[in-house]
Amino acid sequence: MSPMPDNWGYVLAAYGVAAVLLVGYWRYLAARAHELSQPVRGGRKGQA
Amino acid sequence: MTTRMLGWLALLGLGGGLVAGFGYAPREVAQGNVQRIMYLHVPAILTAYLAFALVLIGSVGYLATRQLRWDRLAAAAAELGVLFTGVTIISGSIWGRPTWGVWWTWDARLTSTAVLLLVYVGYLLLRGMVDEPDARARYAAVVGILGAANIPIVHFSVKWWRALHQPSTILGPEPSPIATPIALALLVNWVAFTLLFAYFLARRMAIARLEEHA
Amino acid sequence: MIAAHGLSKWFARTPVLADVTLEVGAGQCVVLLGPNGAGKTTLLRIVATLARPSRGSLTVCGLDALKEPQAVRPMVGVVAHGSYVYEELTALENLRFWTVMADADASRARLLGALQRVELEMVATERVRTFSAGMKRRLALARVLLGRAKLLLLDEPFTGLDQRGRKWLSEFVLAFKAAGGTALVATHSFASGLAIADRVVILHDGRIVADRSADELSSDTLRRLYDGLTEAEGSTG
Amino acid sequence: MTAYARRTWIVLWKDLLTERRSKESLNALLFFALLLLFLFEFALGPDRERLRAALPGLLWLGFVLSGLLGLGRSFIVERDNDCWDGLRLTPGDKSAIYLGKLLGNCAMMLAVEAVLLGLFGVFYDLALGPVLAPLVAVLVPGTLGLAAVATLFAAMTAHLRARELLFPVLLLPAQVPLLLAAVSATQAALLGQPLSEVSHWMKLLIGADVVYVVIGLLTFEFVLDA
């Protein structure tokens, strides 16, 4: 079993992509929460 | 606020996980540093399975009680399950490139994880297409239960299917006995991911509650 | 027979029914009037256990309709816009299907008897595809007759009927009532509604705006009352 | 006959009668099966050996694609005249309706499969006679599992906007294990191997059938009823 080359690039890529996904989701949550905590504008009256 | 505390705790855990994975754990002999992707890959899939288990619990809970908070649990858990399955597949694929020489191989575990991803993406698509909250919750619960019951069936079918064409993968059924430091680093990362999952879940459920009452 | 308290229903965020309280005694025929979108159909669907209210309580035939819809269902007969008939089956086959589904006696003689009562015995073996809207509705009434319904729920039953058909239907409802049944009828036909009503309830924007005994109403006073109630608010909405 | 069995039977009777009279689904499906046969031929070229090697997969691909079209429509008839509401108002266990629908769908699928199989036999010169018994032993549980999930999802998507899209998106991933098992077992059957050699696949097929049908029976009520 020969030791493999280090391949730090792949390690970095894997962690990088994961970070992008997780931080992206966190920012999506934050944006959505912010949006929903805003007071509702223009009380539109719906008709059934 | 407890959710915020949970968030900081998760962040702390992830920091600790990085330290454990890159600072504490040694370079693995056979695979080299690529093996460190494991500290991301394994906790992610474990978290995804936790999420899908919660989808099942939320689904059954909703059908039994008809209370929308169970549906919120199932919906939030499904979304997170897809997120963490995505992380699992991408990290597995990146790990596979230097290890197997290809980005994608129909390895039994990668394949069944991909099938799971498709099942739960379908679940989320269904949720997006039903407007009435009650109907959405009922339909989603049925798909959530079926999806969870399908997990073992998918697992065995894909395993046997691979065994048919190619007796064993390079990774083998289980990676050879894991050294204690590596196991410890995995544990730290797993705890960190579970904390992150709990934080995301709490926030997602809170948002779902706001969406209902808005 | 029906005791509804504080029924409210939202679709998404749009309120369709707002705090509706309605009591219907046994043997009564209550007619629901109101413009399109007033919530008549929604109210009927909730009473029929086809929809769940967002809030409120509902008792039908002495049973909690929200907790035991299954127990309530054999006792209500519903004839709505869609008459629950299969186009490719004959009148007789349709009745046979629904009667077996309701676990009642589906013998041919009994089914033919019901068809006779709704004057469809001549077309018993014709496919429903060839039927007019009125015939389909009569077929639906035959289905109700074959069950054990004590409460008849009709949604816009007079729509698409000619003079004779409307008269026939009014007589049918009166006969059902005479046999001890209760009826809740949603319609926007004043004359036909008033002809069968013991009580008239006017719905507007999901609320009950009037609840009168039919005795004190003539067609004209009802029209004036209705216009006054629905236009005054309608202009702001 | 119990009330449950009577209800199951009358639903099956009603569906088969409707289908026999309108011939809406079956005619189109049989034609579709023929089209698929040509498509496979064009996609893989005239090499008969290659087609034969891929036959089990193609066969099930054909079944699944026909299923997507045919089974997805199985609750459309309940939408006309609001029959759906009528079914909800019927007393008793709603799973009888599911069972009746499931049996009707199985019957329709098996008819399409028989025709498709016959066409394959003629076009690719297969001797189906000797392998018919094991083939049927694979087709029946495979079809049951497919129809069990499809019936449930068809009821669910019947009144959604994007029905044609959502139905396959939900059904296909859920059917991966069934497809893997059925293709492998069909291959063994076509090669004339005894089914005992693929007993693990047969067990998986039957196990999956049990799981899917039980879930269908238990949850159909929640799909149908508000």
Side-chain angles (χ1 to χ4, degrees), chain D residues 166-191:
Chain D
L166 200 56
F167 180 65
V169 161
L170 284 177
L171 184 64
L172 288 180
Q175 293 296 290
V176 166
L178 212 71
L179 209 58
L180 294 179
V183 168
S184 302
T186 304
Q187 186 158 35
L190 283 175
L191 289 175

Side-chain angles (χ1 to χ4, degrees), chain C residues 91-139:
Chain C
L92 206 58
E93 284 162 349
N94 263 295
L95 285 186
R96 180 162 171 237
F97 175 77
W98 291 111
T99 311
V100 171
M101 287 305 282
D103 202 18
D105 169 19
S107 65
R108 194 182 163 84
R110 188 162 175 266
L111 301 185
L112 280 173
L115 279 176
Q116 222 151 28
R117 281 191 47 200
V118 298
E119 298 172 12
L120 284 178
E121 73 275 17
M122 299 301 287
V123 289
T125 54
E126 303 271 324
R127 286 195 209 172
V128 168
R129 180 170 290 289
T130 62
F131 283 21
S132 69
M135 287 161 85
K136 285 181 190 168
R137 206 163 301 152
R138 292 217 297 273
L139 183 58

Side-chain angles (χ1 to χ4, degrees), chain C residues 33-205:
Chain C
L33 288 175
N36 285 335
K40 302 189 296 282
T41 297
T42 306
L43 180 57
L44 273 186
R45 287 179 65 82
I46 289 174
V47 174
T49 73
L50 284 171
R52 279 166 187 261
S54 310
R55 202 172 286 167
S57 69
L58 173 67
T59 312
V60 177
C61 302
L63 296 162
D64 187 333
L66 305 182
K67 289 214 180 86
E68 314 173 75
Q70 282 292 18
V72 170
R73 283 170 181 171
M75 289 183 273
V76 283
V78 182
V79 179
H81 299 281
S83 35
Y84 315 161
V85 292
Y86 295 100
E87 304 270 345
E88 293 299 332
L89 302 189
T90 66
L92 206 58
E93 284 162 349
N94 263 295
L95 285 186
R96 180 162 171 237
F97 175 77
W98 291 111
T99 311
V100 171
M101 287 305 282
D103 202 18
D105 169 19
S107 65
R108 194 182 163 84
R110 188 162 175 266
L111 301 185
L112 280 173
L115 279 176
Q116 222 151 28
R117 281 191 47 200
V118 298
E119 298 172 12
L120 284 178
E121 73 275 17
M122 299 301 287
V123 289
T125 54
E126 303 271 324
R127 286 195 209 172
V128 168
R129 180 170 290 289
T130 62
F131 283 21
S132 69
M135 287 161 85
K136 285 181 190 168
R137 206 163 301 152
R138 292 217 297 273
L139 183 58
L141 288 168
R143 162 177 57 79
V144 171
L145 285 176
L146 287 164
R148 288 165 285 157
K150 292 180 196 142
L151 173 62
L152 188 59
L153 301 173
L154 305 178
D155 194 2
E156 301 291 359
F158 300 105
T159 311
L161 297 187
D162 57 12
Q163 188 67 39
R164 195 179 147 271
R166 284 201 291 274
K167 187 161 174 292
W168 183 89
L169 186 63
S170 302
E171 280 163 10
F172 180 92
V173 175
L174 291 173
F176 185 82
K177 221 174 62 172
T182 310
L184 183 60
V185 183
T187 180
H188 52 245
S189 164
F190 285 79
S192 305
L194 204 53
I196 53 172
D198 295 310
R199 243 168 81 203
V200 176
V201 170
I202 300 178
L203 268 173
H204 182 55
D205 274 351

